Amino acid sequence: MPRKRVAILISGRGSNMSALIDAPKERSYPAAVVLVVSNRPDEAGIETAQNDGIETAVVDHKKFKDRESFEQELQKVLEAHRIEIVCLAGFMRLLTPWIISRWDGRMINIHHALLPAFKGLDTHERAIAAGVKEHGATVHHVVPEMDSGPIIIQASVPVMKDDTPDALAKRVLAVEH
């Protein structure tokens, strides 16, 4: 059976991207990462993907007049590479319903919190401030409402009494991978 063609969208160093690239190296894995796309040029993740032999592309959102134009170009890149599944791994752009609808059920996101708690940014700081005992990561399907899609899997880590956001982030990153 042919493997599903996966694209990973990133906006930075791509630590989650590296974990996603490593998983399909086993021949029995049902998917293969064939493309990494960054919306920011000169990010470390692009070089990391290239060093792993993965094709890369940059669709710099700053070069487009609006979200729709950016997403239309992104869609062209994904279609040109015959992508079947899109993984958002540290991709820091909110996508519109236009592109999300084209990938319905085939676009997933890795979020550094136990959804539905702590949607959006600054999750580690917010978890500590809220006094929660558990924090973690969620993989979920992408829907138009931010961080609200059906959950695929979650992993948790304890929040320690003396945790800093950085210390908590390091433990969460380990379970994200």
Side-chain angles (χ1 to χ4, degrees), residues 19 21 39 46-47 55 77 86 105 111 116 123 128-129 162:
I21 288 171
N39 67 305
I46 290 291
E47 185 177 344
E55 192 167 342
V77 170
V86 176
H111 182 69
T123 64
I128 291 169
D162 59 347

Side-chain angles (χ1 to χ4, degrees), residues 16 88 108-118 135-141 147-156 172 175-176:
N16 279 329
L88 310 181
I108 63 174
N109 182 44
I110 303 168
H111 182 69
H112 46 276
L114 294 174
L115 293 174
F118 308 114
H135 191 49
T138 302
V139 177
H140 66 93
H141 288 279
D147 296 331
S148 296
I151 293 170
I152 298 167
I153 192 168
Q154 293 182 306
S156 66
V172 169
V175 298
E176 285 181 43

Side-chain angles (χ1 to χ4, degrees), residues 35-57:
L35 178 66
V36 170
V37 182
S38 177
N39 67 305
R40 296 179 180 167
D42 304 320
E43 287 295 338
I46 290 291
E47 185 177 344
T48 300
Q50 290 169 343
N51 290 341
D52 275 328
I54 307 293
E55 192 167 342
T56 61

